[in-house]
């Protein structure tokens, strides 16, 4: 079974992160809207992503939607490194937090839906991909990098245009981020056209996603079975380990199967 990891805090202020993720019905992961990310992360490549995707499609005579070139993704960050000093320090409270151990194949296979506003659900445009770490300043090489990664297994059910959109969102600048070894769940924002009125004159406006920082996430749910275990950090308190153990028992997990233990590496 292939594993993937999510490094995070156990608590943040008065908020229990372990309780917000591991709930009775499912695993709830906050998927953050791209505007919450630093400009040197996705926002930086977003500024010229439309031209890159358009150029590739036109050169290869692939169909594309000119109205769907600007991408507004929601993103959940996972990690491929099972014991990363960098991740323990920067994302797991300097080793006082926790690392969720997850079934990678299940993460890749779960399909979600988006409400259409009429009590129906549309298939979500989403996938999970290994991030591509590049020198974004060398813009002339981005087209080659995208084309070289079109055949990733996670993209096999998508057409060329959608593959390019996902790959664009998976690009990260190597200089500040390559130690993260990120595996990124990408959920593209469902753009809805909204009818509005100006002095009783109707006009159409696209919904380009939230602008209030407190609304810049959606809950993406995954089944309990995706959780394989939890490690608390090497500097976590013993009561924190017991708190995590007791919480998963209350949520219906069998601690004999979903092991809770301390990371013993010397970070």
């Amino acid at each position: 079974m292939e594993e993937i990891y999510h490094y995070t805090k156990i608590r943040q202020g008065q908020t229990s992160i372990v309780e917000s993720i591991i709930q009775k019905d499912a695993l709830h992961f906050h998927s953050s809207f791209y505007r919450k990310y630093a400009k040197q992360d996705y926002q930086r490549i977003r500024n010229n992503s439309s031209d890159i995707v358009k150029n590739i499609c036109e050169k290869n005579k692939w169909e594309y939607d000119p109205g769907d070139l600007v991408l507004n993704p929601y993103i959940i960050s996972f990690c491929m490194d099972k014991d990363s000093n960098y991740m323990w320090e920067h994302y797991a409270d300097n080793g006082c937090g926790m690392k969720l151990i997850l079934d990678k194949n299940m993460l890749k296979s779960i399909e979600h839906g988006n409400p259409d506003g009429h009590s129906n659900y549309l298939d979500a445009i989403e996938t999970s991909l290994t991030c591509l770490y590049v020198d974004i300043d060398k813009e002339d090489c981005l087209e080659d990098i995208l084309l070289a990664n079109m055949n990733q297994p996670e993209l096999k059910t998508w057409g060329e245009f959608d593959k390019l959109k996902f790959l664009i969102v998976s690009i990260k600048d190597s200089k500040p981020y390559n130690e993260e070894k990120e595996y990124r769940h990408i959920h593209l924002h469902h753009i809805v056209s909204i009818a509005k009125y100006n002095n009783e004159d109707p006009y159409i406006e696209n919904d380009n996603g939230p602008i209030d920082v407190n609304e810049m996430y959606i809950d993406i749910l995954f089944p309990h079975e995706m959780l394989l275990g939890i490690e608390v950090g090497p500097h976590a308190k013993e009561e924190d380990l017991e708190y995590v153990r007791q919480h998963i028992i209350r949520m219906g997990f069998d601690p004999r199967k979903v092991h809770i233990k301390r990371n013993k590496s010397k970070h």
Side-chain angles (χ1 to χ4, degrees):
M1 184 179 297
E2 194 172 3
E3 297 177 350
I4 200 75
Y5 311 98
H6 186 72
Y7 292 80
T8 187
K9 296 178 178 179
I10 296 173
R11 299 179 184 85
Q12 183 157 3
Q14 299 301 310
T15 301
S16 171
I17 303 300
V18 67
E19 290 185 23
S20 68
I21 294 176
I22 303 172
Q23 300 186 32
K24 275 280 189 183
D25 61 332
L27 306 179
H28 290 240
F29 283 96
H30 276 0
S31 188
S32 297
F33 198 52
Y34 82 92
R35 291 192 181 107
K36 286 198 76 172
Y37 281 72
K39 287 187 176 180
Q40 63 265 39
D41 195 338
Y42 171 68
Q43 290 193 53
R44 188 173 173 195
I45 187 63
R46 183 180 182 274
N47 292 334
N48 59 1
S49 62
S50 298
D51 290 338
I52 293 170
V53 172
K54 180 181 177 181
N55 289 341
I56 292 175
C57 287
E58 290 182 347
K59 286 179 183 177
N60 291 276
K61 296 183 171 55
W62 293 336
E63 291 186 7
Y64 71 96
D65 181 353
D68 195 22
L69 284 167
V70 178
L71 307 181
N72 300 320
Y74 287 88
I75 296 165
I76 311 172
S77 297
F78 299 94
C79 178
M80 296 181 292
D81 191 333
K82 68 182 299 183
D83 194 21
S84 166
N85 290 339
Y86 180 92
M87 296 300 288
W88 280 117
E89 179 183 348
H90 288 84
Y91 291 93
D93 202 9
N94 288 305
C96 295
M98 63 181 177
K99 176 187 74 183
L100 305 183
I101 304 168
L102 304 158
D103 184 330
K104 184 179 180 183
N105 289 328
M106 191 170 289
L107 170 67
K108 293 191 295 185
S109 65
I110 299 300
E111 297 178 354
H112 298 96
N114 286 321
D116 67 355
H118 302 284
S119 300
N120 300 310
Y121 282 82
L122 305 171
D123 289 340
I125 303 175
E126 65 178 6
T127 193
S128 298
L129 286 177
T130 301
C131 282
L132 304 174
Y133 292 95
V134 303
D135 183 349
I136 293 179
D137 292 328
K138 297 180 179 178
E139 296 180 2
D140 56 337
C141 71
L142 289 179
E143 289 192 17
D144 292 337
I145 291 170
L146 293 171
L147 288 169
N149 284 277
M150 293 281 285
N151 293 322
Q152 292 191 44
E154 291 90 337
L155 295 174
K156 66 181 179 181
T157 61
W158 298 98
E160 287 85 359
F161 181 47
D162 286 321
K163 288 181 180 181
L164 289 171
K165 292 192 294 183
F166 286 129
L167 287 168
I168 279 286
V169 181
S170 76
I171 287 178
K172 298 192 74 171
D173 198 340
S174 60
K175 291 176 183 176
Y177 295 117
N178 59 349
E179 288 190 67
E180 295 182 1
K181 295 182 173 60
E182 184 177 344
Y183 188 75
R184 178 171 278 187
H185 182 273
I186 300 165
H187 182 105
L188 295 184
H189 173 59
H190 182 58
I191 298 176
V192 179
S193 294
I194 302 172
K196 294 190 175 183
Y197 294 87
N198 181 17
N199 295 325
E200 298 185 355
D201 292 326
Y203 67 96
I204 299 297
E205 182 177 288
N206 280 343
D207 168 20
N208 290 314
I211 56 174
D212 185 333
V213 69
N214 295 314
E215 298 176 356
M216 288 186 184
Y217 72 88
I218 55 175
D219 257 1
I220 302 287
L221 275 57
F222 296 93
H224 279 177
E225 291 77 13
M226 195 172 84
L227 181 65
L228 303 177
I230 303 176
E231 284 185 10
V232 300
H235 307 307
K237 297 177 182 178
E238 195 63 30
E239 52 261 42
D240 288 332
L241 187 150
E242 187 60 23
Y243 165 64
V244 172
R245 178 182 287 114
Q246 291 303 318
H247 175 67
I248 73 157
I249 291 172
R250 290 194 300 271
M251 296 300 103
F253 289 88
D254 184 345
R256 294 171 299 180
K257 296 179 180 178
V258 178
H259 298 292
I260 312 300
K261 61 183 180 180
R262 179 184 299 278
N263 180 283
K264 295 182 179 179
S265 301
K266 294 181 180 179
H267 293 288

